[in-house]
Amino acid sequence: MTLDFRDFDKDSSDDSSSDLGEDSDINDDMSLSERGEDEEDAGNNINQEENLDNCDDEDEVVKAIKAEKTKPRDHPPSIKCEDFIVDISFHPNKNIIGLANIVGDVLLYEYNNDETKLINTLELHTKACRDIEFDDEGLIMFTTAKDKAIMATDVETGKLKQCFENAHEEPIYKLISLDSNKIVTGDDCGTVKLWDMRKQNPIFSLKIGEDYISDMITNEAQKYLVCAGGDGMLTSIDLKGSKIYTSSEQYESELTCMGLFRSESKLLVGSSVGKFYLFNWKEFGLHSDEYVGQKHSIQCMIPITQNIVVSSGEDGILRAAHMFPQRQLGIVGQHSLPVEALDISHDGQYIASCSHDNDVKFWNIAYFESIDTMIDVNHKQNKKKDMINNLPSSNIKNASDFFSGLA
């Protein structure tokens, strides 16, 4: 079982942990001798970079990344919280981010490049929040928690619009919004329910497994809902037929997170052993391809473009990869402790990440759009070159740290 917020209780804290700061090395606790070795390695990397700068065949992606590094890294300052942040969600059309914490509260912040400002604190749940989502218009905020309750809150006024107490027999782990009225929830023991907020009872309730529902996803058509589980199964539900559509083979590890790519034709699934599994949409029984993402558990991912994913997990490092063709791009950013959740802003300029060290960090990733269009489908990755090309949002100077996380 991988480490996640379910292992924390209301009074949990990490007093022994320290925030490394946005300009410090991720290996802050290493010995002096190890630091000396890393400084020597960093010097070697600088020499490599100088040598590679003279290469005539340097590809356009490398050039673009280097050019971006000379520009200001504009992003909002980090948010430091008193309590463990379980989930985050950007507002769909305003510069607002919601933070759900382990004591059951939701904090709403306004953000810009200069500051992050707390605009509301909502005491919603009696136990740890598990998920927070806005509807497509940003008018309603849905939350769920370990107290088994589902709440719909008016974003503008902060007033409660609807509450389902004891919505599941077991604590609810995951929630997604289909529209302003319909949501889907999944609990710790494999039960999925579809709700219409205008009705008291769920539209359907399906038992699809024995372990927790780690993630759920659907496409624009909303015909099928795909659920990833802690039991290593990928199960799809026919939403209109209110029945199970397919169940995958059982994988060797927990399936933890999902993302859609290539105009929603490709489904990428992350796992607790650091592997990515790629599925064709509607063909959920068996993956069409797999990749080694890292040697640590992948806890969360966010699609940045039709081809690029940013993922993170136990080691606290945010990594970017181009999936079509598969190519590692570098480190987007880093935390000192495991990352619990990722989200992308409404304008695509920032991603935010929350970590076990009770902070939320922002990363400017606007440059991804230009990099995406430069990657040739026939390009073969040159890891020796790509090792020195960390992404502009990253503060890690030794780029080989990125590849050390790969199996």
Side-chain angles (χ1 to χ4, degrees):
M1 177 68 69
T2 58
L3 177 67
D4 58 41
F5 68 82
R6 294 178 302 141
D7 298 323
F8 290 77
D9 59 26
K10 185 173 182 179
D11 298 321
S12 296
S13 63
D14 289 305
D15 294 335
S16 61
S17 66
S18 61
D19 189 352
L20 297 180
E22 297 192 5
D23 296 321
S24 61
D25 191 275
I26 62 170
N27 295 318
D28 194 46
D29 58 348
M30 65 178 65
S31 67
L32 291 177
S33 61
E34 288 173 322
R35 290 186 185 183
E37 291 172 1
D38 274 11
E39 288 172 1
E40 181 179 351
D41 290 341
N44 291 336
N45 282 339
I46 292 173
N47 292 333
Q48 289 176 1
E49 181 168 3
E50 290 173 351
N51 292 334
L52 290 174
D53 281 339
N54 297 324
C55 293
D56 294 333
D57 59 346
E58 186 176 72
D59 67 42
E60 293 300 319
V61 176
V62 173
K63 292 178 181 177
I65 291 174
K66 287 184 176 180
E68 286 289 341
K69 285 184 177 181
T70 64
K71 298 180 181 179
R73 298 177 187 175
D74 293 332
H75 59 275
S78 298
I79 301 172
K80 306 295 182 181
C81 301
E82 294 182 359
D83 300 296
F84 179 81
I85 302 300
V86 177
D87 194 28
I88 57 177
S89 183
F90 277 105
H91 192 279
N93 49 52
K94 294 181 180 180
N95 288 354
I96 294 174
I97 186 171
L99 318 181
N101 68 25
I102 203 166
V103 299
D105 300 339
V106 170
L107 312 175
L108 295 178
Y109 280 82
E110 280 186 340
Y111 62 88
N112 55 47
N113 286 336
D114 300 318
E115 65 174 352
T116 51
K117 178 182 177 182
L118 180 65
I119 57 174
N120 207 349
T121 298
L122 304 171
E123 298 178 357
L124 298 178
H125 295 274
T126 59
K127 294 185 178 181
C129 280
R130 291 289 187 81
D131 208 337
I132 175 175
E133 302 289 338
F134 292 97
D135 71 346
D136 288 343
E137 297 179 354
L139 301 176
I140 306 298
M141 180 182 68
F142 300 104
T143 57
T144 191
K146 194 175 180 180
D147 60 9
K148 307 175 186 178
I150 302 169
M151 296 189 180
T153 305
D154 186 287
V155 175
E156 187 69 26
T157 65
K159 294 182 178 179
L160 187 65
K161 293 180 65 68
Q162 179 64 283
C163 176
F164 296 131
E165 295 183 356
N166 297 314
H168 284 243
E169 294 183 3
E170 302 293 336
I172 303 169
Y173 192 93
K174 188 66 180 177
L175 177 153
I176 66 167
S177 169
L178 301 180
D179 57 37
S180 59
N181 293 309
K182 292 182 180 179
I183 61 171
V184 186
T185 52
D187 67 25
D188 279 355
C189 291
T191 296
V192 175
K193 294 186 179 184
L194 173 64
W195 301 86
D196 188 324
M197 304 306 287
R198 298 163 293 189
K199 301 177 180 179
Q200 286 298 317
N201 297 315
I203 296 173
F204 70 70
S205 176
L206 292 173
K207 178 77 169 175
I208 66 170
E210 299 299 326
D211 211 328
Y212 73 107
I213 305 297
S214 59
D215 201 5
M216 298 184 290
I217 199 168
T218 188
N219 61 2
E220 187 176 358
Q222 295 187 359
K223 179 173 174 57
Y224 301 108
L225 175 78
V226 183
C227 307
D231 57 2
M233 299 282 287
L234 195 70
T235 304
S236 58
I237 296 173
D238 183 339
L239 287 174
K240 294 179 172 57
S242 301
K243 60 183 180 180
I244 294 177
Y245 177 62
T246 58
S247 295
S248 74
E249 64 173 39
Q250 188 163 19
Y251 288 85
E252 63 188 59
S253 61
E254 301 167 58
L255 302 180
T256 55
C257 52
M258 297 185 287
L260 285 173
F261 300 86
R262 286 294 179 96
S263 301
E264 301 185 332
S265 66
K266 300 291 184 180
L267 174 67
L268 190 65
V269 182
S271 72
S272 62
V273 294
K275 285 185 178 180
F276 286 114
Y277 300 101
L278 185 67
F279 293 80
N280 295 317
W281 188 254
K282 294 178 64 175
E283 299 175 7
F284 308 119
L286 182 65
H287 62 277
S288 61
D289 208 345
E290 68 177 71
Y291 315 100
V292 176
Q294 60 189 64
K295 64 182 179 182
H296 302 280
S297 173
I298 301 168
Q299 291 294 98
C300 48
M301 73 167 75
I302 191 73
I304 300 301
T305 70
Q306 292 289 344
N307 300 298
I308 295 175
V309 62
V310 172
S311 62
S312 191
E314 282 188 347
D315 64 357
I317 299 176
L318 283 67
R319 293 178 171 87
H322 193 284
M323 304 308 300
F324 314 100
Q326 207 281 328
R327 175 179 180 179
Q328 303 295 340
L329 295 178
I331 295 175
V332 175
Q334 63 283 330
H335 289 261
S336 59
L337 291 175
V339 171
E340 192 65 44
L342 296 168
D343 201 15
I344 186 168
S345 63
H346 65 93
D347 56 4
Q349 186 172 4
Y350 309 113
I351 56 174
S353 52
C354 64
S355 168
H356 289 194
D357 52 14
N358 299 355
D359 65 353
V360 177
K361 292 184 178 182
F362 297 81
W363 316 96
N364 192 316
I365 46 86
Y367 55 86
F368 272 116
E369 289 291 344
S370 60
I371 291 175
D372 193 10
T373 61
M374 293 178 184
I375 296 183
D376 187 350
V377 294
N378 297 316
H379 172 78
K380 293 183 179 180
Q381 182 179 11
N382 185 327
K383 284 191 177 181
K384 185 176 180 182
K385 290 184 179 182
D386 290 349
M387 280 177 66
I388 64 166
N389 290 302
N390 278 324
L391 301 176
S393 53
S394 174
N395 294 301
I396 299 178
K397 296 179 180 179
N398 183 1
S400 62
D401 289 341
F402 169 72
F403 291 94
S404 68
L406 300 178

